[in-house]
Amino acid sequence: MTITDKPNKLQQSLDQESLLHKMTTQIRRSLDLQEILTTTVSQVRLFLDADRVKVYRFGADGSGEVIAESIDQQRLPSLLGQRFPTDDIPEAAREMFLLVGQRSIVDVPNEKIGLSPLQSKETGKRLQTNIHYRQVDQCHIQYLKAMGVQSSLVMPILHSDLQEPSAKPKLWGLLVSHHSQPREILKGELKVLQEVTDQVAIAIAQSNLLTQAIAKQEREATINRVSTLLHKLPTIQLQKALEEVITALGGVGGRLYIQQSQELYTWGDQPILPYEEDNSILEQHLVWQNWMAECKQGNIWATDDLYKEPRLRVLALAFRSTQIRGLIVIPLHYREKFIGVLSIFRPEFETEILWAGRCEENQRQILPQLSFELWREKKKGLSAEWKPEEILLAQALSEHFSMAIEQYKMYKQVESQNVNLELRVQEQTAELEKSLLTTKVLKQVTEQIRRTLDLQTTLQSIVREVRPLLNSDRVLIFELKSKSVIVEEINGNWQSVLGLNAPAECLPDEYTRLSFQGRVRTINNVSTASLNDCHREFLQSLQVQANLIVPINIGLELWGLIIAHQCDAPRNWQDAEIDLLEQLADQAAIALQQAQLYEQTSNAETEARNQAAQLEHTLHQLQETQSKLIQTEKMSSLGQLVAGVAHEINNPINFIYGNLCHASDYIELLLEILSLYQLHYPHPHSEIRTAIKVMDFEFLVEDLPKIITSMQVGTDRIRSIVLSLRNFSRLDEAENKRVDIHEGIDNTLLILQHQLKANAEFPDIKVIKEYGNIPGVQCYAGQMNQVFMNILSNAIDALRMGTEHKGDMGDKGDNPCQVPTIHITTRISADNSRLLIRISDNGSGMTEEVKKRIFDPFYTTKPVGKGTGLGLSISYQIIVEKHGGTMECISEPGQGTEFWIEIPTKTSSQNS
């Protein structure tokens, strides 16, 4: 393959620009290095019209591998994925590739190689395209012929660290073009390919930056997750943090050992010591301990084959039964103090390397013959290599683990000190609480005595409060007079002794005498105490193993005993407990004295209260009787007055009414005689004519019958009024009989007619009557008229008061809806058993508070002197008590008032 210039420069320029544009576009569009390299070899092969273009990358051990390849119609065999030994490319050639960026062009038929350095070896300056030809090594010629290559072009790919501009570039790989036929390389093509390799170098640098950034981001995310688990006091989660680290480092197991507390956290595959020792924990083995003692702070030790490490020769036996091969040991230090160790395990794996030729010594002599005799090398028993970024992650995590464990240790120490302090505080607090509780119990008992004078309640309160304070099984009070237990409080399933009578022979008089003298009896153990047999058997029958007895004295008399029982076990009674029970015995004595005084006072008070209740009942009856008498007397006086007036008016009216018919007849006769005189004596005397003219005789003759007729109408009206007054008073009728209710309502309205008419101050009150077809109703007619009178009078007063208020507000009553109106409705029930009467007005209405009290005696909302407050109260009694009916009021402010009256059509004899 030689280099030359061809005349078709336009087409060459277009191809060059197209190749560079595609490469630049691919690098900008994607940061995936493999994708960029694949595109590069494909575009370069098309640009050079070559049979094979490949990218050859150098490994850390100097060997190379074909990682990208493009072949035209399988003219040459594929080398993709094949590894080449270190000696495949001499060291001198690598140095020239790196130092001067040398490009090499091999012409196999002419056995020549053209070398084109990119920059001067002496000055380092970039050179123009300059090619030096010389004879190529025969071994190289034979190598290319064996692969079927007639011409080749090799260009170095250098890598520079963008984060360190001052760092020298490194030889990353080669861009190689092979052709099965001789091929000339143009200088322009060489220039373009150099620009392509420069673009590939930029893509490699960018890809490395991206890889580093992603790795850094993943490390920081791992550190944040682990840090969150470690520093979440007081719930530090070492186990979960260990699992997170093992996952992040790609391990199959791991362990965390804390030196001081000898705590061990494990997860996944674990080593097992094959022999029994006093201590079977790996980290406590002497070899491991010595190893950790030599480790300096910050040192991370890692290996991909732990069986090759001399220091692990003894401990490696623990890993024989596992698949663990790789190991990283992270010592944990806090301020140069060894805290523990974190170990992560990786499994072994089997890999296959496809070598292009056999890796043997002096292979350059036999390489042409074995160029494509592939050797599949299988490597087994290795683990993944620990990468530098993983070592950095392990160092960062060691700091977090060390700090978290030390903080947790300090937290535990502080917590322990706090617990000890809390215990001491609790002990002192318990003593204070017990003292306060004693004071509280005494206060509660004292308040109970003051709050209630009931002896049973007070004594029950004493035993209820003292039992939990003494923590005893049973507390009781024994009354000496009845020789029985009157109150008790039990904790547990012990038998009750309430109401139990003590055998007389078990309580000698000596006990009573000593108790009266203030003796407190303590029995710590019933089985061993100095007691008579009867007393011991009695206590044991009550399941008592220890008891405390304190006397209750009232003055010079022993009233009883307050006793505490311990049933589950013997007990030594303390002085504070005895003192508490003595104080409560004193309080019980006070309660007894007060109860006795209270009983005496209560008896006297009960007698006085009974007398007062009797007097109050009598007074209430007198008040009701008085109110009824007043109203009855009032209505009786009114009835008598009405009846008397009606009787007095009735006599002269009857006289006038009876003579009016005769007077009318007489006048008619006289007028007939006068007409006869006028007929037979048409020319009377002049004096008579004058008199006739003066008196307007014709008008007198015409008007006189009219006057008589008017007088008859007036007397009829007066007679009907007198009849209404007589009917309203009902003095001439039986008390309970069947009557026409409508007649009673009409008579009442007739009496109130003058109040319904308008005057200078009030408008006319309109009355609307809607009477149903009502049969005669058996009732107390006079009393029902009294009810109608009270309700209608109140309605008239309410309408008058409402009219006054509207007048004050300037309302002239122009709106017809505002005309004062009383509406009266009557109807009978479907079964003809009950009569409903509704009387409503459109007055100002009542509030809820007023409505609740309108039926109360002596309650009125009228001004002083205009009402007694008895009308509705008596009306309610007449309807409900006398007639067995119901009476309700419906009213709202501004909505008027309506009374519902419902009575049976037949009044039972019981209501009479």
Side-chain angles (χ1 to χ4, degrees):
M1 182 178 286
T2 59
I3 184 167
T4 182
D5 287 326
K6 291 185 177 180
N8 193 1
K9 293 185 178 180
L10 178 59
Q11 183 63 37
Q12 179 185 0
S13 176
L14 292 175
D15 292 343
Q16 292 173 2
E17 291 181 0
S18 175
L19 175 61
L20 292 176
H21 175 71
K22 290 179 180 179
M23 292 301 302
T24 305
T25 302
Q26 181 64 25
I27 292 172
R28 290 177 178 175
R29 184 171 58 85
S30 173
L31 291 176
D32 183 80
L33 182 60
Q34 187 62 42
E35 183 179 351
I36 293 173
L37 295 178
T38 302
T39 303
T40 299
V41 296
S42 176
Q43 295 298 325
V44 169
R45 188 189 62 76
L46 293 174
F47 175 72
L48 294 177
D49 193 21
D51 293 327
R52 178 171 57 207
V53 175
K54 65 179 180 178
V55 173
Y56 181 94
R57 183 179 64 186
F58 291 105
D61 59 352
S63 64
E65 180 184 3
V66 178
I67 63 172
E69 181 183 59
S70 178
I71 301 176
D72 183 23
Q73 299 180 359
Q74 303 297 323
R75 292 178 181 177
L76 293 175
S78 175
L79 302 177
L80 185 64
Q82 295 187 17
R83 298 279 292 273
F84 293 84
T86 304
D87 295 337
D88 190 56
I89 299 176
E91 186 65 29
R94 298 187 190 208
E95 291 181 359
M96 294 303 294
F97 283 142
L98 177 61
L99 294 177
V100 299
Q102 179 171 277
R103 290 78 57 89
S104 66
I105 306 168
V106 179
D107 184 359
V108 175
N110 296 322
E111 297 183 354
K112 291 184 179 181
I113 182 171
L115 301 176
S116 176
L118 184 62
Q119 59 187 19
S120 173
K121 185 176 181 180
E122 291 77 12
T123 63
K125 294 183 179 180
R126 197 175 185 91
L127 301 174
Q128 298 296 327
T129 304
N130 186 18
I131 304 176
H132 304 282
Y133 288 93
R134 64 172 176 80
Q135 291 295 318
V136 67
D137 188 278
Q138 284 298 317
C139 181
H140 195 176
I141 293 296
Q142 293 177 8
Y143 183 79
L144 292 176
K145 286 182 177 180
M147 290 191 297
V149 176
Q150 293 296 313
S151 63
S152 71
L153 170 63
V154 180
M155 304 194 68
I157 301 174
L158 304 182
H159 168 59
S160 299
D161 192 348
L162 298 180
Q163 293 181 331
E164 297 183 7
S166 60
K168 295 182 179 180
K170 298 179 182 179
L171 182 61
W172 184 87
L174 303 173
L175 177 64
V176 182
S177 172
H178 288 162
H179 205 283
S180 60
Q181 300 295 328
R183 172 75 158 80
E184 293 183 359
I185 299 298
L186 301 176
K187 291 183 179 180
E189 292 174 337
L190 188 64
K191 182 180 179 181
V192 170
L193 292 180
Q194 184 60 52
E195 292 180 355
V196 169
T197 57
D198 292 342
Q199 291 294 326
V200 170
I202 294 173
I204 292 170
Q206 291 180 348
S207 177
N208 288 343
L209 285 177
L210 176 62
T211 303
Q212 293 173 5
I214 293 174
K216 183 179 179 181
Q217 184 179 6
E218 291 177 352
R219 287 198 307 272
E220 291 178 351
T222 300
I223 292 172
N224 288 336
R225 290 194 299 271
V226 173
S227 178
T228 300
L229 294 170
L230 291 176
H231 297 285
K232 196 174 182 181
L233 290 175
T235 57
I236 180 172
Q237 302 183 39
L238 292 174
Q239 181 65 38
K240 290 186 178 180
L242 172 63
E243 296 174 10
E244 187 71 35
V245 173
I246 294 172
T247 303
L249 293 177
V252 293
R255 46 203 290 134
L256 170 65
Y257 177 75
I258 302 175
Q259 180 74 15
Q260 183 176 5
S261 62
Q262 297 185 354
E263 295 179 71
L264 178 64
Y265 299 88
T266 63
W267 187 81
D269 293 347
Q270 297 297 318
I272 302 174
L273 292 173
Y275 41 83
E276 294 292 335
E277 290 190 354
D278 294 338
N279 199 336
S280 60
I281 298 178
L282 181 67
E283 287 80 1
Q284 294 178 354
H285 196 279
L286 183 60
V287 175
W288 187 285
Q289 291 285 328
N290 293 334
W291 179 24
M292 290 297 103
E294 297 173 1
C295 289
K296 295 182 180 180
Q297 184 174 2
N299 287 350
I300 305 295
W301 183 85
T303 179
D304 55 1
D305 190 354
L306 61 89
Y307 296 104
K308 294 181 180 180
E309 296 297 328
R311 70 181 70 192
L312 294 178
R313 190 172 302 162
V314 176
L315 299 178
L317 297 175
F319 295 88
R320 289 293 183 186
S321 61
T322 70
Q323 295 296 319
I324 299 172
R325 198 82 179 195
L327 171 65
I328 184 170
V329 179
I330 310 169
L332 305 178
H333 291 83
Y334 184 78
R335 296 181 180 178
E336 299 182 358
K337 176 185 176 183
F338 180 72
I339 295 178
V341 62
L342 178 63
S343 307
I344 309 298
F345 312 133
R346 277 183 176 173
E348 65 180 11
F349 63 88
E350 182 177 349
T351 184
E352 182 180 81
I353 300 176
L354 189 64
W355 289 101
R358 296 186 181 276
C359 293
E360 300 176 0
E361 296 181 0
N362 302 321
Q363 63 179 358
R364 288 188 63 80
Q365 284 73 24
I366 62 173
L367 195 58
Q369 293 80 15
L370 303 176
S371 294
F372 290 98
E373 291 185 17
L374 299 181
W375 175 34
R376 297 180 183 272
E377 179 186 11
K378 293 185 178 181
K379 289 189 176 182
K380 185 177 181 181
L382 297 178
S383 66
E385 181 184 359
W386 298 98
K387 300 178 182 178
E389 55 267 23
E390 293 175 334
I391 303 297
L392 292 175
L393 175 61
Q395 289 177 340
L397 292 174
S398 68
E399 297 177 1
H400 284 278
F401 269 92
S402 301
M403 186 179 299
I405 292 172
E406 188 65 20
Q407 288 179 350
Y408 185 65
K409 172 187 171 184
M410 295 175 61
Y411 170 78
K412 283 295 185 181
Q413 291 175 351
V414 173
E415 188 179 47
S416 177
Q417 293 177 358
N418 289 338
V419 169
N420 294 334
L421 181 60
E422 286 179 1
L423 289 175
R424 291 197 299 269
V425 171
Q426 287 176 0
E427 291 175 357
Q428 295 179 0
T429 303
E431 294 178 359
L432 290 174
E433 286 180 349
K434 191 170 184 179
S435 177
L436 290 174
L437 191 57
T438 301
T439 305
K440 181 182 178 182
V441 169
L442 292 173
K443 181 181 178 183
Q444 288 178 347
V445 172
T446 304
E447 290 179 352
Q448 180 67 31
I449 294 173
R450 293 176 179 175
R451 187 169 56 250
T452 179
L453 294 174
D454 182 67
L455 179 61
Q456 188 72 16
T457 303
T458 303
L459 297 180
Q460 188 64 53
S461 176
I462 291 174
V463 297
R464 183 176 61 250
E465 297 293 341
V466 75
R467 194 216 56 75
L469 194 59
L470 292 178
N471 194 23
S472 60
D473 297 323
R474 185 192 296 123
V475 174
L476 55 91
I477 293 180
F478 178 81
E479 185 182 17
L480 193 62
K481 182 179 179 181
S482 62
K483 293 185 178 181
S484 63
V485 178
I486 58 174
V487 291
E488 70 172 351
E489 181 72 15
I490 302 175
N491 179 38
N493 295 323
W494 310 107
Q495 69 182 61
S496 173
V497 297
L498 190 64
L500 180 66
N501 294 320
E505 62 275 9
C506 292
L507 294 176
D509 294 337
E510 182 67 14
Y511 284 10
T512 303
R513 184 180 64 81
L514 293 175
S515 297
F516 176 73
Q517 293 175 356
R519 170 186 166 179
V520 175
R521 181 71 184 272
T522 59
I523 302 176
N524 296 328
N525 192 334
V526 171
S527 300
T528 60
S530 178
L531 301 172
N532 59 50
D533 294 338
C534 178
H535 194 184
R536 180 178 290 105
E537 291 176 2
F538 174 66
L539 292 177
Q540 290 177 346
S541 68
L542 302 181
Q543 302 173 303
V544 178
Q545 297 196 42
N547 71 348
L548 172 61
I549 304 173
V550 176
I552 301 175
N553 294 320
I554 300 178
L556 301 177
E557 180 183 357
L558 178 63
W559 182 87
L561 304 171
I562 180 169
I563 306 172
H565 286 166
Q566 194 68 28
C567 301
D568 58 348
R571 173 174 178 172
N572 292 324
W573 301 99
Q574 304 298 317
D575 293 339
E577 297 170 340
I578 297 172
D579 182 63
L580 172 62
L581 212 57
E582 287 180 330
Q583 294 184 55
L584 289 173
D586 293 339
Q587 295 297 326
I590 295 172
L592 288 166
Q593 290 176 333
Q594 291 187 353
Q596 291 176 354
L597 292 174
Y598 171 72
E599 185 178 3
Q600 297 172 1
T601 306
S602 179
N603 293 334
E605 182 183 359
T606 301
E607 185 177 355
R609 188 181 295 111
N610 292 336
Q611 294 178 356
Q614 184 67 29
L615 291 173
E616 183 179 1
H617 180 68
T618 303
L619 178 61
H620 180 70
Q621 289 181 337
L622 288 174
Q623 288 177 341
E624 289 187 352
T625 303
Q626 183 181 15
S627 62
K628 292 180 179 179
L629 288 175
I630 292 173
Q631 187 67 14
T632 302
E633 183 64 24
K634 176 180 177 182
M635 295 305 298
S636 176
S637 299
L638 178 61
Q640 291 177 359
L641 175 62
V642 169
V645 170
H647 180 73
E648 293 298 327
I649 295 175
N650 191 45
N651 290 331
I653 286 299
N654 287 336
F655 176 78
I656 296 172
Y657 183 79
N659 290 318
L660 277 175
C661 59
H662 301 295
S664 177
D665 294 338
Y666 296 161
I667 290 172
E668 288 180 0
L669 293 173
L670 291 174
L671 290 177
E672 289 179 0
I673 293 173
L674 288 175
S675 53
L676 290 174
Y677 270 103
Q678 288 176 346
L679 178 63
H680 295 286
Y681 299 99
H683 302 290
H685 191 269
S686 59
E687 185 177 355
I688 294 174
R689 286 198 304 270
T690 301
I692 290 173
K693 187 176 181 180
V694 170
M695 67 177 63
D696 194 359
F697 180 74
E698 292 181 358
F699 173 77
L700 188 149
V701 171
E702 182 182 356
D703 191 53
L704 185 58
K706 294 180 181 180
I707 291 175
I708 296 299
T709 303
S710 296
M711 291 175 66
Q712 287 179 338
V713 172
T715 54
D716 287 338
R717 177 63 177 164
I718 293 173
R719 291 182 77 248
S720 66
I721 291 173
V722 171
L723 181 61
S724 296
L725 290 175
R726 288 174 59 84
N727 291 336
F728 178 79
S729 62
R730 295 291 182 178
L731 294 179
D732 55 347
E733 297 181 3
E735 185 177 14
N736 186 355
K737 62 181 296 185
R738 189 173 296 275
V739 297
D740 184 0
I741 288 294
H742 294 160
E743 182 181 358
I745 296 174
D746 292 339
N747 291 335
T748 305
L749 288 173
L750 182 61
I751 295 174
L752 297 174
Q753 186 65 35
H754 67 288
Q755 297 186 41
L756 299 173
K757 293 182 178 180
N759 55 32
E761 297 179 358
F762 309 116
D764 188 41
I765 297 176
K766 183 179 180 181
V767 178
I768 300 175
K769 294 186 290 186
E770 294 182 6
Y771 290 163
N773 186 13
I774 306 299
V777 178
Q778 183 177 349
C779 63
Y780 298 91
Q783 293 184 6
M784 289 300 296
N785 290 342
Q786 182 179 351
V787 172
F788 299 148
M789 176 67 72
N790 290 333
I791 294 176
L792 291 171
S793 297
N794 285 339
I796 292 171
D797 291 341
L799 292 172
R800 292 287 178 90
M801 292 173 65
T803 304
E804 288 179 357
H805 179 68
K806 292 178 182 178
D808 294 340
M809 297 297 291
D811 190 355
K812 299 303 182 180
D814 296 334
N815 188 352
C817 295
Q818 299 299 324
V819 174
T821 304
I822 295 176
H823 202 123
I824 304 173
T825 304
T826 63
R827 64 183 178 86
I828 197 75
S829 64
D831 58 355
N832 294 329
S833 64
R834 301 187 71 82
L835 169 67
L836 174 63
I837 304 170
R838 295 169 55 185
I839 303 175
S840 62
D841 63 68
N842 60 349
S844 58
M846 291 181 283
T847 63
E848 189 66 26
E849 291 76 10
V850 172
K851 190 173 68 173
K852 289 179 180 179
R853 299 188 58 190
I854 59 172
F855 296 124
D856 295 344
F858 306 106
Y859 177 77
T860 180
T861 58
K862 297 178 181 179
V864 177
K866 291 189 177 182
T868 61
L870 292 174
L872 290 178
S873 175
I874 293 177
S875 299
Y876 187 85
Q877 293 178 1
I878 292 173
I879 297 298
V880 176
E881 297 179 6
K882 296 292 289 184
H883 291 83
T886 58
M887 182 175 182
E888 296 182 4
C889 176
I890 302 172
S891 180
E892 292 183 11
Q895 301 297 322
T897 303
E898 181 175 4
F899 283 92
W900 284 56
I901 300 172
E902 186 175 345
I903 61 172
T905 55
K906 293 182 179 181
T907 305
S908 63
S909 58
Q910 181 179 357
N911 293 329
S912 61

